[in-house]
Amino acid sequence: MHTIPLGHTDVAVSRLALGCMLMGTSTDEADSFAMLDRYLAAGGTFLDTADCYAWWPGPGFTGGESESLLGRWFARTGRRDEVFLATKGSAWVADPDAARAETLTDEEKYAGAGADTLRRALDGSLRRLGVDHVDLYYVHVDDRRTPLEETLEALAGLVAAGKTRYLGWSNVPTWRLERIRQLCDRYGWPAPVALQQEHTYLRRRPGDANLSIVDSQQLAYLRAHEDLTLVAYSPILKGVYDDVHKQRDLAQMRSYRGADTDARLAAVAKIAAELGVSGSVLVLAWVLHQRSPRRVALIGPRTPAQFDELMSASDLRLDDDVLRALDAAGA
């Protein structure tokens, strides 16, 4: 398993991170434990979860299930010290039923990034995980209601207390990220070392307002700031590269639809067929081959079979001709 430095820290993390979002809900405990065991056996070290994972699979789920499952796995295996553990706060949902019914705005739905909220959230995460600290703690959803100074000072306190080693941010536009970094520099607070955003081979269509997706401006910003590592979530867009129905119907595709995407999907289908791999594996390998900026690809398999298929991307070598063909595709 290849690794890359996390920002300018002295930590190296697996370039293929295991997302644990569905563990304990859509994925049962036996399959979850099997994937965790296989991931570490393959040399993987980077586990990703959040306090809100996962309230949305259906009634009875409230969030916290993924962290609790990881806590049971740590207790069973004693392997906490072998992993780089990331979790997130600020997107906790107090009323999952209303959230599932889509009757709440985002401001009403999410707990936010207030100082007391984050302190309580991380304490809850540590309790469910059964650990005394995490390695990386993200602000999961960018909270415009709370002054950044309040959020950043609280996060600095969590680092000082030893409850997290490093900080990250997710679902944030570039201008806010720059403001965060300026404030950290001004007040001597620890700055984020990881940026978790949606990132795949397809490019966000011009004019789309989804700020959770990396665009060309944000990639340029990351190239200029190597102390910040991109953690790419949804790199395979829920399997869209191998399913024409998802290409048509998946809600996430609203941000990508257009001639550019049609051309890129066609390129993936052609090259994947020539290489004898799935489109998902090809795209995941493409993400892993990118060097500027450096990036981690985050997979979230639901089954051990999906896990095994996606892990094969780490061994797929794409030659220069393939990479040029993929990069040149588009309208």
Side-chain angles (χ1 to χ4, degrees), residues 155-173:
L155 291 171
L158 296 175
V159 174
K163 294 182 178 183
T164 183
R165 295 170 64 195
Y166 303 108
L167 301 173
W169 225 274
S170 186
N171 302 301
V172 61

Side-chain angles (χ1 to χ4, degrees), residues 104-271:
L104 303 176
T105 66
D106 283 352
E107 287 190 356
E108 295 168 332
K109 183 190 302 183
Y110 299 128
D116 289 341
T117 299
L118 289 176
R119 285 190 282 264
R120 289 194 301 268
L122 183 51
D123 283 344
S125 291
L126 297 178
R127 183 175 62 253
R128 286 185 291 272
L129 289 162
V131 301
D132 61 4
H133 76 281
V134 295
D135 298 296
L136 177 61
Y137 192 58
Y138 291 96
V139 172
H140 199 169
V141 293
D142 192 34
D143 177 9
R144 307 280 179 89
R145 299 168 295 172
T146 303
L148 277 173
E149 291 86 347
E150 177 183 339
T151 297
L152 291 166
E153 186 173 24
L155 291 171
L158 296 175
V159 174
K163 294 182 178 183
T164 183
R165 295 170 64 195
Y166 303 108
L167 301 173
W169 225 274
S170 186
N171 302 301
V172 61
T174 306
W175 69 267
R176 284 275 287 180
L177 188 60
E178 174 62 15
R179 179 63 176 156
I180 289 163
R181 290 161 56 86
Q182 288 178 357
L183 288 170
C184 289
D185 183 64
R186 178 186 301 174
Y187 293 105
W189 294 325
V193 299
L195 172 67
Q196 189 172 137
Q197 297 278 91
E198 183 174 315
H199 176 57
T200 185
Y201 171 67
L202 301 183
R203 296 179 284 216
R204 194 179 79 185
R205 64 177 175 81
D208 183 79
N210 188 341
L211 298 177
S212 295
I213 300 174
V214 172
D215 61 8
S216 58
Q217 180 191 62
Q218 200 159 71
L219 287 174
Y221 185 86
L222 290 165
R223 290 186 190 102
H225 298 89
E226 292 186 348
D227 57 331
L228 193 59
T229 297
L230 174 60
V231 179
Y233 76 79
S234 289
I236 63 169
L237 288 177
K238 300 182 179 179
V240 76
Y241 295 99
D242 299 296
D243 190 329
V244 295
H245 300 292
K246 287 183 178 180
Q247 291 171 17
R248 183 190 64 223
D249 301 329
L250 185 69
Q252 278 175 283
M253 288 297 290
R254 286 195 294 264
S255 294
Y256 297 99
R257 286 197 180 97
D260 184 69
T261 285
D262 293 342
R264 290 209 143 198
L265 288 171
V268 167
K270 178 178 182 294
I271 295 171

Side-chain angles (χ1 to χ4, degrees), residues 267-317:
V268 167
K270 178 178 182 294
I271 295 171
E274 292 170 351
L275 296 178
V277 298
S278 69
S280 292
V281 168
L282 174 61
V283 166
L284 195 53
W286 176 85
V287 174
L288 294 174
H289 276 72
Q290 305 307 301
R291 295 292 181 268
S292 182
R294 293 190 303 246
R295 62 204 80 179
V296 171
L298 178 61
I299 59 171
R302 187 176 54 82
T303 67
Q306 291 175 354
F307 170 84
D308 290 340
E309 180 190 18
L310 296 177
M311 286 292 287
S312 71
S314 63
D315 296 321
L316 180 61
R317 296 293 174 261

